[in-house]
Amino acid sequence: HGPSLGGHGTMNGTSFSPGRKFRKTMSVVYAFGANGEGQCGTGILDDEDDNVNCPTLVAAVDGQDIAAIAMSREHTLMLSGERVVWSCGSNDHGQLARSGKKSKPFRVDALETYPLSVVAAGQHFTVCALDDGRLAGVGANDKGQLGMGGADRDDRERIRFSPGVHNVVKIAAGETHLVALSRNGQVLTWGNNAKGQLGDGTFTSVNSPSPVPTLLSRPVVDVATGADHCFAKTVSGLLWAWGSNSCGQLGLGDLQPRPRPEKVSTLRVPRVKYVAGGYRHSLAVSERGLVFAWGAGGLGQLGSGGIADAIPRPEVVSALQDIGPAVGIACGHSHCLAVVRDEDSGQLRVYAWGKNHSSQCGRTGEKTFLQPVRVKLPDVERCSSIQVVSSPLAYHSFVLVNGTQWDILGGRVAVEAELIREARELAKAGAAVDPEACTRFSRKLAAAFSSVAVLNASFREENAPLTISPERSGIDLLRCRRAYELILSIQSDDIVRTMGKATLHACNELKNQKVPTDEPENLPVLLIILENPMLLASRRSQLFPGYSLAVQCIMTAMLALPAGCQDILFSWLRQLPSEYFKRVVDVFQEFISLCFEGKGMSEQDANPAIMVLAQLWQRNKEASILPSHCFQNRAVSSSSRLQEHYNRYLEQRQSSVFSFLKYPFLLDAHAKRCLMSYDSLRTMETEWGQLRRHMQTISPNDFELAITVRRENVLEDFCSQIWDRRQNRPSSLSLPLVVKFVNEEAIDQGGVSKEALSLIIKEFMSEDLGLMAPLPDVEGYAWFHPNFSVAPDAPAYRQHMFEIFGIVVGLAAYNGVLVPLSFPPVTYKVLKHGLQAVQFDDLRELHPSIHRNLALLKSPEGAELVDSLCYSFQVAQPTTGALVELETGGADIPVTTENRRDFADRYARMLLVDSVRTALLSFCKGARFCLGVDKPAFELCTEEDLELLICGTRELGDFRDLEAVAGYVNGYDPSHPVVRVFWKVVHGFPENLKRRLLQFASGSDRVPIYGLSRFRLLVGRSATELDRLPTANTCANLVNLPEYPTEEMMRARLLVALQYDTGFGFA
């Protein structure tokens, strides 16, 4: 139905639309009813009885592969699969477009040279839509119904052509007006408007097609008409009605005419699949196959079993409900037809009801049928397709039978099928593509992809419910993505330009708020447009100069949506598979990068994109679709004005002034480290200022946090001095850390501190100290030991080891040193947010098997397991094996169906918090003191950022990235033989030796934030003898290599150096 890129359609009794291609079928046409003018086409004209009293074969078109039928009161048109038009019936106004016999169908030779798309038949006139976009008409034109731009008397048999191009794909004709659907999704009307049937808000007739304003940009996929009233059906099954309403035929609950379309609210829930209009009554089929009838019922045309002058609301035709679902309907002047699939036999049956004075119900004898009666047809009901046809003025009917389902591309306007088929042919042609074929294709492409209405009706999921809701958009994004990629693969600059212009036009339409936002069905266009790869900055080209404007328009449109519509749109985005969600994120990320890189854009241009990205970030947090680094923007994070923005942010953070720093997800951990370092420097400067003001004599050491340690007693020396500073001069912890090893020649310019902190952290994490305990279920992780104790005669600082541990970690981060912590991620959550942030699912990181069992116990299935488990509220601590009561007297409290969830939550809380509360809080207290939690930069960090800031990345990465950014000094360069051998040896190392090399060169085996590509290793030539080992300057990340002549010597010397890499002196 309608101009969609993947819709479906029905044939209206007053029009047909054969499109481009049909399958060959053995179609059969049966006619019955009034035949005084030969309109049935059976060839029988009986002066005594003008009726065809039972379904009779239309022999003149037998074997002609009739695909569709259009009709009015006294004339009929038929169209074959080869697009040959046949006509019969009255020709008093030249409406048959031919002369000669009228009692049976004859070919209309005058139309054979004009490829047709659709045809409609009204009272004494015929209108066709040609493939070139023009209208052709013949017959009566006193109300301007031919759409030629004037109203005049009919000119018998002469076909006239419209001066304008309307690209109509579906037409329905009333008595003296028409409603049509164009290829770009507009609903057009023209002709008589005495009863408001043109829907333009007036009662003034119009002599050329004009859009219906209320329906602009709505995804209309089907139109239908009664004598003086009209319907439009949208892609989600909403029905709009307007025009005459004297008998309630609009279904709006009253008898007042409507000069503008209004929604038929009664059918909102059942949703409409098919709709048809009679003279003063109407029919619809719901998504479930129920037939609804309303309007005039004085002749039984509502099928209710009684008569009524006016029923203004749709009511179910209950007699059909018991038979099976309806799959087709038609309305005559005062009778109805329906095709129903019998639930018992699975076969198609035709039923009729209403006025039968001319046997238009296919039966003789009765003048009126108040309820549906079966129309007895020859043995054709086993066919897969039966269609019934009549019209709002007609007293006759047709049944069109096909052996297989006919393919009516124009009628259902399957633009997707048509476009994709042509696109595939053009893509196969490669560079030899036909320019004329490209031009024709470009016209169709422009009509489809420039129209919000068409896009909203496109790429629908097959066999999906009609209803579009916050839970489902109904869009098949895979088909959408493939369509874009196929079209853009055509080797034609003209097609790429056309797609770009169409995209910009649609984005402009959205930006200018011309698209209604009262229904969810108007929003899927945003999903579809965001799938367009031309909106990715990485794929922009000179063929799409409107790229940045298109993205700005789509951002403006999204931000301007009412709150309810934004909720629906972002709910859909949240439910997308990760690869589609990431495409949307990438569109805005790449635009932001473009703005910050200054390529014809300014940073301010990125503001709307950042605001949209913020909403995507929030949905991502809720659904965990993408890792957080997908929202970090490299261009923003590496901006040369980051510190300037930060200062402005600090000044205006409480105001409503826009700042991208209010959206910290944009910054990677490296940028946040820079900001924290900036905060640290300001804190250090403040401390230095205090020293100058309050101390009479100042030595250089007073401006440092100087710690002297013995290598063999590094933990005790460091902890005792740090605790003394914490107790007596806590502000000194804000000074730069400088470490000296006793009896070692080294000046700490960063390398010594790195090594010292690395050694101390390893001591803290060791099992021998007893501070931490390895997690039995998670290799490589440790957790706070629940039973750590200190001897009574131990030094005072030993009573505070957990807090000192935290201070050491905080000092490392404060001084920009990465340390080898082995904490589960929940540690950083507590460090950032406190104990209240701990949740049941955090247990998965510490004890995955226990979490799995407790989660099962909490689930509905767990209720069946409780009795067999024999649990109580006393459990074993997995690290120590000690028994712990989850509440007082827990050993005597059994776990039951009622308390099993409480048991699981208490057990998880005990393992995560209660058993280590003191240790965890003390550690966080020390770390937070040094990390500067009161500083704005800390507020910008997430728990993931904190882990990266403290530990670096867990993955070692590819050492080829390290080689790519390495520098060379003292005569070495990348092509030097010694350098080439060095890298060959290093690339052959296992992971542990590669980490040892990092430790050797920099003082830490941790990989910097964002990987080895951010770590600049220097390789220098050493002038020492070949029997000497390589040396390192950890402050400069420098490895000094003698000119070893062979690979074997290089490997041997490196292995020894890495094995004995501690200490500062001479190798």
Side-chain angles (χ1 to χ4, degrees):
H1 303 52
S4 72
L5 296 181
H8 301 281
T10 61
M11 181 175 64
N12 188 287
T14 60
S15 72
F16 53 74
S17 47
R20 297 271 176 201
K21 182 180 179 182
F22 293 93
R23 296 188 183 96
K24 279 288 185 181
T25 61
M26 295 301 293
S27 60
V28 180
V29 179
Y30 294 94
F32 45 95
N35 193 39
E37 295 292 335
Q39 59 264 48
C40 284
T42 57
I44 303 170
L45 284 176
D46 189 332
D47 293 336
E48 295 183 3
D49 185 359
D50 290 339
N51 303 327
V52 177
N53 294 315
C54 63
T56 301
L57 179 70
V58 182
V61 293
D62 193 28
Q64 295 299 323
D65 187 24
I66 296 301
I69 301 170
M71 55 193 288
S72 185
R73 186 191 306 270
E74 295 177 341
H75 77 288
T76 300
L77 299 137
M78 300 181 187
L79 185 69
S80 74
E82 299 301 323
R83 297 208 281 179
V84 174
V85 180
W86 304 69
S87 63
C88 61
S90 173
N91 199 29
D92 53 352
H93 291 72
Q95 60 264 44
L96 298 186
R98 66 172 177 82
S99 59
K101 297 181 179 179
K102 62 180 184 178
S103 60
K104 61 180 181 180
F106 279 87
R107 295 167 66 111
V108 179
D109 295 333
L111 290 174
E112 287 192 16
T113 58
Y114 300 100
L116 299 176
S117 294
V118 288
V119 176
Q123 182 71 353
H124 309 309
F125 69 93
T126 298
V127 173
C128 313
L130 308 181
D131 281 2
D132 62 12
R134 295 180 299 162
L135 295 177
V138 63
N141 193 35
D142 55 310
K143 302 295 183 181
Q145 57 265 49
L146 296 187
M148 300 297 146
D152 51 27
R153 294 181 178 274
D154 52 283
D155 189 356
R156 294 180 60 85
E157 301 172 19
R158 185 175 74 85
I159 299 175
R160 282 166 286 180
F161 300 92
S162 67
V165 173
H166 304 288
N167 290 312
V168 167
V169 294
K170 186 175 182 66
I171 306 180
E175 186 168 12
T176 52
H177 80 286
L178 297 96
V179 59
L181 200 52
S182 72
R183 187 171 288 280
N184 66 1
Q186 288 186 337
V187 177
L188 306 172
T189 55
W190 65 97
N192 188 11
N193 196 28
K195 298 181 180 178
Q197 58 263 52
L198 300 190
D200 59 5
T202 74
F203 294 91
T204 304
S205 298
V206 174
N207 55 31
S208 61
S210 301
V212 178
T214 304
L215 299 176
L216 285 174
S217 297
R218 293 189 182 275
V220 175
V221 295
D222 197 12
V223 290
T225 184
D228 300 309
H229 65 289
C230 297
F231 295 105
K233 185 184 84 70
T234 68
V235 68
S236 68
L238 298 178
L239 189 64
W240 294 76
W242 66 96
S244 175
N245 197 31
S246 57
C247 296
Q249 58 264 43
L250 298 183
L252 299 174
D254 57 41
L255 306 183
Q256 299 300 314
R258 298 296 199 281
R260 292 185 179 87
E262 292 186 18
K263 272 180 277 192
V264 182
S265 58
T266 306
L267 296 174
R268 181 180 182 85
V269 173
R271 301 283 167 159
V272 173
K273 196 169 184 181
Y274 310 114
V275 63
Y279 192 73
R280 294 288 182 266
H281 71 289
S282 308
L283 284 184
V285 176
S286 74
E287 186 174 15
R288 291 175 48 206
L290 297 177
V291 177
F292 289 81
W294 63 96
L299 297 170
Q301 57 266 56
L302 302 187
S304 62
I307 57 174
D309 291 336
I311 300 295
R313 293 187 187 278
E315 295 182 356
V316 175
V317 181
S318 56
L320 294 176
Q321 185 177 1
D322 298 331
I323 300 170
V327 296
I329 50 173
C331 285
H333 181 283
S334 48
H335 74 288
C336 298
L337 299 144
V339 182
V340 179
R341 186 172 297 280
D342 189 282
E343 286 189 335
D344 296 328
S345 66
Q347 295 181 6
L348 297 175
R349 307 282 191 235
V350 176
Y351 289 84
W353 62 96
K355 191 172 183 179
N356 191 46
H357 70 293
S358 298
S359 298
Q360 58 263 51
C361 290
R363 306 272 289 252
T364 58
E366 300 291 335
K367 296 299 183 183
T368 301
F369 293 103
L370 300 181
Q371 286 189 312
V373 294
R374 184 174 167 187
V375 178
K376 297 180 180 179
L377 296 169
D379 188 19
V380 297
E381 293 175 327
R382 294 184 181 276
C383 293
S384 60
S385 172
I386 297 179
Q387 299 165 58
V388 288
V389 187
S390 192
S391 87
L393 305 178
Y395 294 103
H396 64 297
S397 308
F398 290 95
V399 175
L400 176 60
V401 180
N402 294 91
T404 57
Q405 178 66 46
W406 45 273
D407 184 11
I408 185 165
L409 294 183
R412 65 191 190 192
V413 196
V415 180
E416 180 189 25
E418 187 177 346
L419 273 178
I420 297 308
R421 185 180 64 251
E422 293 184 22
R424 193 170 288 115
E425 293 172 357
L426 292 171
K428 285 180 181 178
V433 64
D434 179 14
E436 291 186 5
C438 284
T439 300
R440 291 193 298 269
F441 179 79
S442 292
R443 284 198 293 266
K444 298 175 185 175
L445 188 70
F449 283 90
S450 66
S451 169
V452 169
V454 172
L455 291 175
N456 266 326
S458 301
F459 304 112
R460 308 299 304 171
E461 294 174 341
E462 294 185 6
N463 303 317
L466 289 175
T467 304
I468 297 174
S469 67
E471 290 71 38
R472 55 173 300 278
S473 67
I475 298 298
D476 185 340
L477 285 178
L478 177 58
R479 277 192 13 246
C480 176
R481 177 171 293 189
R482 287 175 174 171
Y484 275 122
E485 295 293 351
L486 175 64
I487 292 168
L488 294 174
S489 71
I490 300 170
Q491 296 185 35
S492 167
D493 289 351
D494 182 54
I495 287 175
V496 176
R497 288 192 193 94
T498 299
M499 177 63 87
K501 290 177 181 177
T503 301
L504 179 58
H505 186 279
C507 292
N508 255 322
E509 189 176 345
L510 289 165
K511 173 205 167 188
N512 295 330
Q513 301 183 35
K514 294 181 179 179
V515 180
T517 56
D518 56 336
E519 294 289 346
E521 68 178 8
N522 300 312
L523 301 177
V525 61
L526 292 164
L527 299 183
I528 293 170
I529 289 180
L530 288 170
E531 269 299 304
N532 188 340
M534 297 182 75
L535 294 184
L536 293 170
S538 57
R539 294 187 60 169
R540 67 196 178 106
S541 73
Q542 294 180 346
L543 299 175
F544 185 26
Y547 155 77
S548 58
L549 183 57
V551 177
Q552 288 173 317
C553 287
I554 201 80
M555 294 185 303
T556 302
M558 292 175 72
L559 294 173
L561 287 173
C565 291
Q566 284 194 9
D567 289 343
I568 292 172
L569 175 61
F570 285 101
S571 173
W572 290 343
L573 291 169
R574 173 184 172 177
Q575 297 169 53
L576 291 180
S578 58
E579 62 268 30
Y580 297 102
F581 189 80
K582 189 173 188 305
R583 167 64 67 83
V584 178
V585 171
D586 286 347
V587 167
F588 299 109
Q589 281 283 37
E590 293 186 12
F591 182 80
I592 293 168
S593 297
L594 191 69
C595 295
F596 272 78
E597 289 165 358
K599 298 177 180 177
M601 309 286 290
S602 69
E603 292 181 1
Q604 287 73 26
D605 292 328
N607 294 357
I610 292 172
M611 295 169 70
V612 173
L613 205 60
Q615 299 211 41
L616 294 171
W617 163 255
Q618 184 59 42
R619 269 58 182 192
N620 191 71
K621 282 176 60 179
E622 297 166 0
S624 300
I625 307 166
L626 297 174
S628 58
H629 68 75
C630 292
F631 288 84
Q632 296 166 359
N633 188 282
R634 182 67 61 88
V636 174
S637 298
S638 59
S639 170
S640 60
R641 300 177 58 205
L642 182 63
Q643 187 170 318
E644 177 188 336
H645 280 286
Y646 185 57
N647 288 330
R648 192 183 310 145
Y649 164 72
L650 296 180
E651 296 169 0
Q652 302 174 341
R653 57 193 300 207
Q654 301 302 325
S655 73
S656 59
V657 176
F658 181 88
S659 170
F660 70 81
L661 287 170
K662 292 181 179 180
Y663 306 92
F665 60 81
L666 287 168
L667 300 178
D668 60 29
H670 179 77
K672 291 173 183 175
R673 162 161 279 169
C674 292
L675 295 179
M676 291 184 74
S677 297
Y678 177 56
D679 276 348
S680 300
L681 181 60
R682 296 204 308 176
T683 303
M684 291 177 186
E685 290 174 345
T686 301
E687 178 63 16
W688 288 336
Q690 294 288 338
L691 287 172
R692 291 190 183 97
R693 283 195 295 272
H694 297 293
M695 296 182 67
Q696 298 295 325
T697 303
I698 302 176
S699 70
N701 289 339
D702 291 326
F703 292 95
E704 302 170 342
L705 176 59
I707 306 292
T708 301
V709 297
R710 297 163 291 171
R711 186 173 291 278
E712 67 276 9
N713 203 35
V714 63
L715 181 67
E716 300 296 332
D717 291 350
F718 197 93
C719 289
S720 61
Q721 293 175 64
I722 286 295
W723 187 247
D724 178 67
R725 294 283 190 133
R726 176 71 176 89
Q727 291 295 100
N728 301 307
R729 192 182 159 195
S731 62
S732 66
L733 297 178
S734 301
L735 297 172
L737 176 65
V738 177
V739 177
K740 176 174 176 53
F741 283 99
V742 175
N743 298 325
E744 295 187 17
E745 299 179 19
I747 297 175
D748 189 3
Q749 294 181 334
V752 181
S753 299
K754 285 182 186 178
E755 184 184 11
L757 289 169
S758 180
L759 292 172
I760 293 164
I761 292 295
K762 288 177 181 177
E763 292 265 6
F764 271 119
M765 298 298 297
S766 70
E767 291 187 58
D768 294 339
L769 184 62
L771 210 65
M772 309 298 294
L775 292 170
D777 286 354
V778 187
E779 185 178 356
Y781 278 154
W783 191 237
F784 300 95
H785 200 296
N787 295 332
F788 176 76
S789 61
V790 179
D793 57 346
Y797 72 84
R798 298 279 292 184
Q799 308 294 328
H800 304 279
M801 288 299 283
F802 286 109
E803 185 174 348
I804 294 172
F805 188 7
I807 291 173
V808 172
V809 170
L811 275 177
Y814 183 76
N815 286 272
V817 178
L818 301 176
V819 292
L821 283 183
S822 301
F823 284 153
V826 67
T827 314
Y828 306 98
K829 178 186 282 190
V830 176
L831 186 58
K832 171 67 178 175
H833 303 291
L835 291 177
Q836 68 274 12
V838 177
Q839 298 175 330
F840 173 81
D841 284 337
D842 291 323
L843 185 63
R844 185 189 293 113
E845 301 166 3
L846 273 68
H847 303 286
S849 58
I850 295 177
H851 173 268
R852 184 168 55 252
N853 293 334
L854 292 179
L856 177 61
L857 188 65
K858 292 180 72 172
S859 71
E861 294 80 4
E864 303 173 5
L865 302 174
V866 170
D867 294 337
S868 62
L869 296 174
C870 300
Y871 283 171
S872 72
F873 274 67
Q874 178 177 268
V875 297
Q877 226 290 343
T879 307
T880 64
L883 295 177
V884 179
E885 287 191 339
L886 301 180
E887 65 174 285
T888 305
D892 299 322
I893 302 175
V895 177
T896 65
T897 301
E898 290 74 23
N899 66 17
R900 72 184 194 282
R901 293 189 178 88
D902 182 44
F903 166 79
D905 290 336
R906 284 174 180 264
Y907 193 177
R909 187 77 178 173
M910 182 274 292
L911 294 174
L912 288 166
V913 175
D914 296 341
S915 62
V916 295
R917 180 183 293 274
T918 301
L920 187 53
L921 289 176
S922 297
F923 172 84
C924 291
K925 178 182 177 183
R928 289 167 66 88
F929 180 81
C930 292
L931 282 171
V933 296
D934 58 334
K935 304 295 190 296
F938 183 86
E939 297 175 9
L940 301 178
C941 295
T942 64
E943 53 262 32
E944 294 86 358
D945 293 328
L946 290 179
E947 183 174 8
L948 284 171
L949 290 168
I950 293 169
C951 305
T953 58
R954 292 188 175 276
E955 294 76 22
L956 181 61
D958 190 342
F959 259 49
R960 288 177 178 80
D961 294 334
L962 182 64
E963 181 182 3
V965 297
Y968 303 94
V969 296
N970 299 333
Y972 279 162
D973 60 58
S975 61
H976 195 285
V978 173
V979 172
R980 291 164 65 181
V981 170
F982 168 75
W983 285 115
K984 182 178 180 181
V985 170
V986 168
H987 289 317
F989 281 167
E991 181 175 331
N992 65 315
L993 287 179
K994 288 179 178 178
R995 287 195 178 276
R996 293 293 293 272
L997 177 62
L998 291 178
Q999 175 76 43
F1000 178 71
S1002 68
S1004 172
D1005 68 352
R1006 310 303 289 182
V1007 177
I1009 300 167
Y1010 265 91
L1012 294 170
S1013 61
R1014 292 285 186 94
F1015 182 87
R1016 184 167 171 79
L1017 178 71
L1018 293 177
V1019 180
R1021 185 172 63 85
S1022 172
T1024 57
E1025 295 80 0
L1026 296 181
D1027 60 346
R1028 302 296 294 269
L1029 298 176
T1031 60
N1033 181 343
T1034 55
C1035 300
N1037 298 336
L1038 172 63
V1039 175
N1040 295 301
L1041 293 174
E1043 294 188 68
Y1044 300 124
T1046 66
E1047 182 181 333
E1048 290 73 17
M1049 184 178 289
M1050 176 72 76
R1051 182 181 294 105
R1053 296 290 191 269
L1054 270 177
L1055 288 175
V1056 174
L1058 298 183
Q1059 184 176 0
Y1060 301 100
D1061 65 344
T1062 58
F1064 291 83
F1066 300 98

